[in-house]
Every structure is written in C-alpha cells, then in structure tokens.
C-alpha cells in the first residue's frame, strides 16, 4: 500500500477490523477469571492436560458453551475423538441445545487434527473441542492459527506428560482431582503469571441433586 | 405484409426472474382484431393438440416388469380411482367388451367381470411420463406445452417445411407414439385452445384450416371445453349445447353468467385474444471431455488438469446464474473400465474452489488401475443457486452473523464427507424415553439440525455429561466399600417392557478412588452386577 495512504490519521483499514480486541469469555469462577485476566481469551487455543476423565473437565467448559448460547452465536460445537459420548440430556439440563453439537469419534489422529483445523477455519463453528494426544508441535501451531484467523475457540485435551514439551497455546493448564475439587494449574497464560486455582466440582453437583 | 408482422410477433420471451425450472414463455398473438374476427385469412400459428385418453392406464403399467406385463397381456384391466367410491377411471378394450365402463363402482365391475384385473392409479408416474413425452416431442418442435393431466400442445408452424407438411408430421408422430404403445387423439388448428378442444371432441385426427376454424369451433359440444360442471349444467338449462350457441349470446350477459375467464378462453380459441403458454425446456446439462495429450499416472496431476476445467465450469455457471448439486467425473483408462468419481454437495454451489477441495480429497483416496487417457466431467442437473445478500464488508459483526449460515455448514459437512466418509460426524439429539441409551440420539449430521426445544422435567436428577456408549460391567467390589462410595441414589429406571428392551435398574452417583464421580447402576434382575454408565465430568 502507498505509504502516504498508510499514514493518514483518519483512514481505518478494513483488515484491522478482524484483529479487533476480543472480549474474554467468563469462566464462571471468580478465582479463575482473575487468574486468566477476565476470562478465557476468545478465539484462542486452550490446552488442557489431564490423565483422568470425569474430574470436572466438562464443568469447566460449560460456561463457555453457555456464553456462545447467550451471545446468540448459534454456530456448531464440534467434538473430536471424545473419550466418551457427550450426554445430550445432560447438556439440555445445563441449558445447552444438543442439536448444534457434532461429534466425530474413532477418527485417526491425522484425521482428527485435520478435522479440528477445518472446523476452526469454518465460519459454521463456534468452538472445536478435540482430544488429540498425539498432536505434533506443527499441528498445534496450525490449530492456533486457524482459531485466531476465524475467531473460533479451540480446546485441546492432552495427557499430563505433554506438559514437558513446549506449546504455542494461549492458555495451558493441567487438570487434576484433589479431594472432590478440581485443581487447575495454569502453566501458561499469555501475558500473565503462572498460578494455581482450585474449583469445587462436587458441591456444584450437590446443589442440583435433590 | 401480414406474414412479416406475424413472424415478428411470434417469438420466445425469456422470463426475467429465474424460476426453479427454467421455462420460456411463448407469446401467441393472433391477427389484429378487426370488426369481423371471423375473416382471418392466414393463421400465424399451427397448434397440434395431443390427447392421451388411456394415459393413467399406460402410466400404471409403465413400472411393471416384463413378466408382470405378459401375465396381464390377455386379461381385462381396469384402473381404479383412489377416491371414496373406488370407481373405474378407465379400462382396456377387452374390459370394455365385457361391459365395464368408466364410472362403474368396484362392486359393479366385479359383478360384470369376475377376472377383471384392478390397477391403482399412479398420478406421479403420469406426470413424470408426460414430461418425458413432452421432451420426446421436442424432436418435432421446440415449443411443447404440457397440459396436465393428459394433453400436450405442439406449435408446429415452423416445422412444417422440414417434415414436409402437416400430414407427414402427424404420421411420423403417431408412428412414434404407436411404437411406444401410446394411444393418442390429435387435432391441428390455428389456436392452441381450439386445438385442445378439438382433440377432446374426436377420436380421429382432425386438421382445421384457419378459414374453417370458427365454423368447426361452433359445432363443438360444450363437454369438450372441460369447464366446471355447474357452468355446463347452467348453460344446458338455457338450451345451449354447442359452442356456436354460446357465440350467439350477447357478450356482456355471457360474461356475467359464466365469468370473464371462461369468456377469455372462448376468445382465445377463436384467435381474438393472445394466448400465453409455457413451453417445457429440457433440463440443462453440462458435459466436458478432456482428451489428454499424454497419459497421467498420478491423481495429483489429474487434479491440476481438472482445476483448470473447473474454472471453466465456474465461468459457465456464473454466466447463466446456475449452480451444481452434484458433479460426476470419469477417469478413462486404456484397458480398464473407467474410474468414476462422484462429488455430492449438501447445498447447491457455484463455488468451484470449494468443489476443487472436495475433489482433492476424493482423488487422494482413488486408486488408479492404469494411467488416465481421458477425463470426462458431467453435471446432470444444473439448478438455480440460492442467492442471498452479502454483508457490508466493513461491518465488524459480519463474522458473527454468518455462523448460522447453512452454506458454511454445508461446506464443512461436505469436506468431512469427502475425507472421512459419510456419516462419521454425528449430531446429538434427545427423545422422550426413560432409558438413557434411548434418550441419547446420535444421527448423521445434516443441515436440518433444528433446535431441540424439549423441556426437561425439573425433578429429573442431574445426568452425567459423559455417557458411555455401552454400560461397562464393573468388577465386583465388596458391599461395604460400595456403600461408602455411593453418594446419591437410588433412582429407579424401570421401563421398556413393551418393546423387548426392558431395563430395571437402580442408578447411583458413586465416587471413584481417583476422585471422579460415576453414574453407576445395579441391574435389579441380576443384583450382583454393577455397571458404569456415565461420568459427571
């Protein structure tokens, strides 16, 4: 572009609109919001490391799914290679419409990575949640780029052992169960400090159970 | 002079809007109205009307196998109308000999002829076959009009010289119809409406020259007009039996009695009023054949060649405002059968960049038995694209708005289909059933994912977010440890005794040693067996 045009003070360039500052997505937990700087960064890659299922990892994601519902972004949520099937009735009980959730199971690691990138690039998806234990650093970078370019939210679940290798993720955290509570160790939050947050999982269930 | 004027006035007007099926409108205009409209010297048009009296019978038999046909060959057949009375609609000559007449009730028909064979009417086949026949008739003229349920109109003026006159054309046409086993009554006249009426009134073929038209139309019985039964009855009460009687009545009074639209039909039949008819058009197709100068051995190279041709296809589609919903590609080899590749699209598109991506996935999965010598690209159905207004480019909320866009969903789904195979991506849903494995629905993802607006009963205990595809049998643990582990419960689910998949279970929430919450159940019919069915994640 012509440098004189570029330096005009009152000219806004259309491409800068896509890089508009993103609003954080509230995580539903005051402690976690504080640690993350207001909430989950939207259109970013969140990497969650855990070796166990059923310790409250989906409870952590529910506020994000509800946020998309409230923002009237009625796009899809794509689940790739989840360890179990997301329970449609439970999603409904949590106020989330299961019809816009697409699930792909038994995909080869290569296909799952490809599908994740494709879903993130597509304007049809709000978020893609993938279980990619064998993802390569290049794959991670591609996923992050796809998420940033199309303003979609990416969550990757990987085993705890992956914590040793570096990752381009915007937020990186380990999830462990600690006496009926979910312990979140934030290994990396871009632009913020490391810290540990624990969330009650058990009591939240108690509140709903009769 | 008159001739030039007529040829100027008779032309095909393309429609300005784009209908689902492209059609052309033929403007048929008679001579300028003079004080004596009957003195038309030369008709600018020649309409051939074709009536197929046994069409329902023909259509009902069209779907039969040769064995079924031979079994029916020497038996009397009657076609039944699927209405309340179940009456005979039409029947074969053999049945006519036995005394069966259209309008007989089922019982009367059986009483008259015990071995009568009944067929059900297939109106959809009638319509489809009539469309096929209309396209077939385009051998004789480009302007063929379908008059449902069983009539066709052909404008043959321009074809007369080619086929050597009306009589030769009629002979050719009737020979063609007879060879296909179709009975037809035909009439040729100067206006479409009068030709249609004439072919209803006679069994033999009639050719009416322009001068004789008013006289011939005057002699037509009112029944040939197919006007509403109450109008015909009213006119019969006036003592009117023929069109000629009708023409003698004062126009103003007649318009009040029978309505303006029927009077307009009368004027159209006599050529006093223009008659607009919609001509059928053969569905558009696209064919492309790529003869290669050299043999291609890799699909990657074939992809490069095809990309160029897809750009041509895109240009073709843009010029005509069309889209494709399916693309067929055949890779031809020297000594092997051609390798077919079919790309189905969830929504019609003219975006070849997207089709190219799908093609790339399809080609990468294709095994070539031999080098490619020739590539053929074919599209059998070109359809009207779904057009929508784009967003203003500077609108920052545009990226959010098109998330519900079916186009983006369709493209995503097609790409999944092309690489992963169909039905690998499932959409979630719920049905009202007490059994958890039945409540959960997983159907192949499609574009029709309507919102689930089910109310969940408020008293229903919280369900786990993870569900196991199959309940997993837990290794037996001693009762004390188990009791300590159970946090909530039991919730009894006893259902399904009516459909053979009965369950009788007590569901509990249990705490595992690792701190996760499990949704477990005890099978009440085998109390020692405990199963894991979900995880509260």
């Amino acid at each position: 572009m012509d440098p004189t045009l570029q330096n005009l003070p009152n000219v806004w360039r259309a491409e800068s609109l896509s890089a508009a500052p993103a609003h954080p997505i509230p995580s539903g937990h005051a402690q976690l919001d504080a640690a993350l700087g207001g909430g989950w960064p939207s259109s970013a890659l969140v990497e969650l490391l855990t070796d166990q299922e059923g310790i409250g990892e989906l409870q952590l994601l529910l506020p994000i799914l509800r946020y998309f519902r409230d923002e009237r972004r009625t796009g899809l949520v794509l689940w790739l290679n989840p360890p179990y099937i997301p329970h449609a009735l439970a999603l409904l009980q949590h106020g989330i419409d299961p019809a816009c959730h697409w699930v792909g199971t038994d995909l080869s690691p290569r296909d799952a990575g490809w599908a994740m990138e494709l879903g993130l690039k597509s304007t049809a998806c709000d978020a893609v949640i993938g279980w990619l234990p064998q993802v390569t650093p290049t794959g991670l970078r591609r996923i992050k780029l796809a998420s940033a370019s199309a303003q979609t939210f990416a969550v990757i679940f990987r085993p705890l052992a992956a914590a040793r290798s570096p990752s381009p993720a915007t937020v990186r955290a380990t999830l462990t169960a600690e006496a009926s509570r979910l312990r979140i160790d934030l290994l990396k939050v871009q632009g913020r400090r490391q810290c540990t947050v624990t969330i009650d999982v058990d009591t939240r269930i108690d509140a709903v159970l009769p | 002079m008159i001739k030039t004027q007529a040829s100027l006035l008779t032309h095909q007007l393309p429609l300005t809007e784009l209908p689902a099926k492209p059609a052309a409108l033929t403007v048929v205009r008679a001579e300028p109205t003079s004080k004596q409209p009957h003195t038309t010297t030369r008709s600018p048009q020649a309409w051939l009307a074709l009536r197929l009296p046994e069409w329902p019978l023909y259509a009902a038999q069209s779907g039969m196998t040769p064995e079924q046909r031979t079994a029916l060959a020497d038996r009397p057949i009657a076609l039944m109308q699927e209405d309340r009375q179940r009456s005979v609609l039409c029947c074969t000559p053999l049945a006519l000999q036995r005394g069966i007449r259209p309008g007989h009730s089922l019982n009367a028909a059986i009483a008259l002829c015990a071995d009568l064979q009944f067929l059900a009417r297939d109106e959809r086949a009638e319509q489809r076959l009539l469309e096929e026949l209309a396209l077939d008739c385009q051998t004789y003229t480009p302007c063929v009009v379908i008059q449902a349920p069983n009539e066709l109109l052909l404008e043959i003026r321009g074809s007369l010289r080619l086929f050597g006159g009306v009589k030769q054309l009629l002979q050719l046409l009737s020979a063609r119809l007879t060879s296909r086993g179709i009975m037809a009554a035909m009439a040729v006249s100067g206006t479409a409406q009068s030709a249609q009426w004439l072919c209803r009134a006679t069994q033999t073929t009639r050719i009416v020259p322009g001068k004789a038209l008013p006289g011939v139309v005057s002699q037509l019985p009112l029944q040939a007009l197919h006007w509403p039964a109450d109008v015909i009855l009213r006119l019969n009460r006036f003592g009117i039996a023929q069109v000629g009687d009708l023409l003698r009545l004062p126009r103003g009074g007649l318009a009040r009695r029978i309505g303006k639209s029927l009077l307009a039909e009368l004027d159209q039949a006599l050529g006093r009023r223009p008659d607009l008819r919609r001509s059928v058009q053969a569905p558009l197709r696209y064919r492309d054949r790529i003869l290669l100068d050299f043999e291609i051995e890799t699909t990657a190279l074939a992809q490069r060649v095809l990309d160029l041709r897809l750009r041509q296809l895109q240009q073709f589609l843009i010029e005509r405002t069309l889209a494709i919903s399916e693309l067929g590609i055949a890779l031809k080899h020297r000594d092997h059968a051609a390798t077919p590749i079919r790309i189905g699209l969830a929504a019609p598109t003219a975006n070849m960049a997207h089709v190219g991506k799908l093609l790339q996935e399809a080609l990468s999965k294709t095994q070539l038995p031999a080098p490619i010598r020739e590539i053929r690209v074919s599209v059998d159905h070109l359809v009207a694209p779904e057009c929508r207004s784009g967003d203003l480019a500077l609108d920052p909320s545009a990226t959010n708005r098109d998330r519900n866009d079916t186009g983006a969903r369709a493209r995503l789904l097609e790409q999944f289909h092309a690489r992963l195979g169909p039905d690998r991506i499932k959409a979630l849903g719920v049905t009202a059933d007490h059994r958890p494995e039945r409540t959960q629905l997983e159907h192949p993802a499609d574009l029709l994912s309507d919102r689930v607006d089910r109310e969940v009963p408020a008293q229903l205990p919280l369900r786990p977010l993870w569900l196991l595809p199959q309940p997993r049998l837990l290794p037996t643990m001693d009762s004390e440890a188990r009791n300590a582990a159970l946090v909530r419960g039991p919730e009894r689910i006893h259902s399904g005794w009516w459909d053979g998949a009965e369950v009788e279970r007590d569901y509990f929430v249990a705490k595992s040693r690792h701190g996760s919450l499990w949704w477990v159940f005890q099978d009440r019919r085998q109390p020692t067996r405990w199963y894991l069915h979900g995880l509260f994640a």
Side-chain angles (χ1 to χ4, degrees), chain A residues 68 76-80 112 115-121 125-130 152-156:
Chain A
F68 289 137
L76 296 167
V77 177
L78 195 61
W79 303 65
L80 295 168
M116 180 138 191
E117 199 187 329
L118 188 70
L120 286 169
K121 274 188 196 158
C125 287
D126 278 337
V128 183
I129 307 167
T152 37
F153 191 74
V155 182
I156 286 194

XYZ file of all heavy atoms in Angstrom, chain A residues 68 76-80 112 115-121 125-130 152-156:
188
model
N -21.676 -18.917 24.381
C -21.998 -18.896 22.950
C -23.508 -18.855 22.752
O -24.013 -18.200 21.848
C -21.414 -20.120 22.237
C -19.926 -20.078 22.117
C -19.157 -21.205 22.361
C -19.289 -18.904 21.761
C -17.786 -21.161 22.249
C -17.914 -18.847 21.643
C -17.165 -19.978 21.889
N -21.941 -24.148 15.440
C -21.739 -25.522 15.882
C -20.643 -25.601 16.929
O -19.754 -24.758 16.985
C -21.307 -26.375 14.694
C -22.301 -26.535 13.574
C -21.601 -27.115 12.370
C -23.416 -27.455 14.017
N -20.737 -26.651 17.724
C -19.620 -27.036 18.575
C -19.226 -28.436 18.123
O -20.056 -29.332 18.056
C -20.008 -27.024 20.064
C -18.850 -27.506 20.906
C -20.422 -25.629 20.485
N -17.988 -28.573 17.766
C -17.517 -29.832 17.206
C -16.686 -30.557 18.263
O -15.770 -29.970 18.832
C -16.670 -29.504 15.979
C -16.329 -30.612 15.012
C -17.583 -31.197 14.418
C -15.456 -30.042 13.901
N -17.033 -31.808 18.538
C -16.275 -32.630 19.479
C -15.530 -33.685 18.665
O -16.154 -34.430 17.923
C -17.194 -33.342 20.457
C -18.109 -32.472 21.262
C -19.122 -31.694 20.793
C -18.105 -32.311 22.686
N -19.745 -31.057 21.823
C -19.158 -31.415 23.003
C -17.330 -32.837 23.721
C -19.439 -31.037 24.305
C -17.623 -32.461 25.024
C -18.652 -31.568 25.308
N -14.233 -33.740 18.835
C -13.476 -34.708 18.055
C -12.794 -35.701 18.975
O -12.100 -35.304 19.919
C -12.444 -33.979 17.191
C -13.083 -33.074 16.134
C -12.050 -32.160 15.520
C -13.771 -33.886 15.063
N -8.261 -36.475 12.858
C -8.804 -35.631 13.923
C -8.149 -34.253 13.875
O -8.823 -33.228 14.013
C -8.583 -36.292 15.278
N -9.563 -32.449 10.923
C -10.951 -32.029 11.150
C -10.979 -30.829 12.089
O -11.795 -29.919 11.927
C -11.766 -33.176 11.721
N -10.073 -30.825 13.075
C -10.053 -29.724 14.034
C -9.692 -28.416 13.321
O -10.340 -27.390 13.517
C -9.027 -30.033 15.123
C -8.931 -28.953 16.169
S -8.807 -29.652 17.810
C -9.042 -28.185 18.797
N -8.688 -28.488 12.479
C -8.273 -27.284 11.768
C -9.383 -26.797 10.835
O -9.685 -25.607 10.769
C -7.006 -27.605 10.971
C -6.236 -26.370 10.587
C -5.088 -26.702 9.660
O -4.536 -27.814 9.764
O -4.766 -25.845 8.833
N -10.005 -27.756 10.150
C -11.079 -27.412 9.212
C -12.251 -26.765 9.943
O -12.796 -25.754 9.505
C -11.541 -28.685 8.504
C -12.507 -28.512 7.362
C -11.804 -27.867 6.189
C -13.096 -29.831 6.960
N -12.625 -27.380 11.095
C -13.746 -26.856 11.870
C -13.461 -25.452 12.380
O -14.325 -24.585 12.378
N -12.214 -25.241 12.807
C -11.859 -23.927 13.344
C -11.854 -22.869 12.254
O -12.218 -21.725 12.486
C -10.473 -23.986 13.994
C -10.409 -24.708 15.340
C -8.976 -24.931 15.756
C -11.149 -23.914 16.400
N -11.467 -23.273 11.051
C -11.416 -22.302 9.949
C -12.805 -21.981 9.439
O -13.029 -20.913 8.902
C -10.592 -22.885 8.792
C -9.115 -22.638 8.919
C -8.464 -23.089 7.636
C -6.981 -23.260 7.788
N -6.474 -24.165 6.750
N -18.579 -22.964 12.778
C -18.306 -23.440 14.134
C -18.040 -22.285 15.086
O -17.400 -21.291 14.731
C -17.091 -24.359 14.136
S -17.416 -25.951 13.429
N -18.525 -22.426 16.322
C -18.162 -21.509 17.394
C -16.924 -22.010 18.105
O -16.056 -21.243 18.500
C -19.290 -21.426 18.427
C -20.370 -20.469 17.985
O -20.065 -19.602 17.164
O -21.504 -20.614 18.458
N -16.894 -23.324 18.322
C -15.801 -23.897 19.099
C -15.540 -25.315 18.628
O -16.447 -25.990 18.140
C -16.157 -23.909 20.580
N -14.317 -25.741 18.771
C -13.958 -27.121 18.480
C -13.220 -27.657 19.706
O -12.309 -27.009 20.209
C -13.073 -27.239 17.224
C -12.787 -28.696 16.920
C -13.724 -26.583 16.029
N -13.674 -28.804 20.188
C -13.055 -29.422 21.353
C -12.472 -30.744 20.883
O -13.202 -31.607 20.402
C -14.102 -29.655 22.466
C -14.846 -28.354 22.758
C -13.441 -30.190 23.720
C -16.081 -28.541 23.604
N -11.165 -30.877 20.994
C -10.543 -32.073 20.450
C -9.686 -32.793 21.476
O -9.049 -32.169 22.319
N -12.493 -18.458 16.246
C -13.194 -19.581 16.862
C -12.398 -20.020 18.084
O -11.220 -19.705 18.217
C -13.319 -20.750 15.872
O -12.142 -20.820 15.092
C -14.508 -20.584 14.969
N -13.075 -20.763 18.939
C -12.477 -21.147 20.214
C -12.017 -22.599 20.121
O -12.788 -23.475 19.730
C -13.532 -20.983 21.307
C -12.984 -21.093 22.694
C -12.235 -20.059 23.232
C -13.211 -22.226 23.454
C -11.739 -20.148 24.522
C -12.708 -22.318 24.738
C -11.974 -21.279 25.273
N -10.775 -22.835 20.457
C -10.239 -24.186 20.342
C -9.824 -24.702 21.710
O -9.181 -23.989 22.479
C -9.036 -24.193 19.403
N -10.222 -25.926 22.016
C -9.793 -26.578 23.255
C -9.164 -27.902 22.866
O -9.744 -28.672 22.100
C -10.981 -26.839 24.205
C -10.486 -27.465 25.490
C -11.725 -25.565 24.501
N -7.972 -28.151 23.381
C -7.314 -29.426 23.118
C -7.058 -30.116 24.441
O -6.556 -29.496 25.386
C -5.978 -29.212 22.376
C -6.239 -28.843 20.927
C -5.129 -30.461 22.432
C -5.030 -28.932 20.064
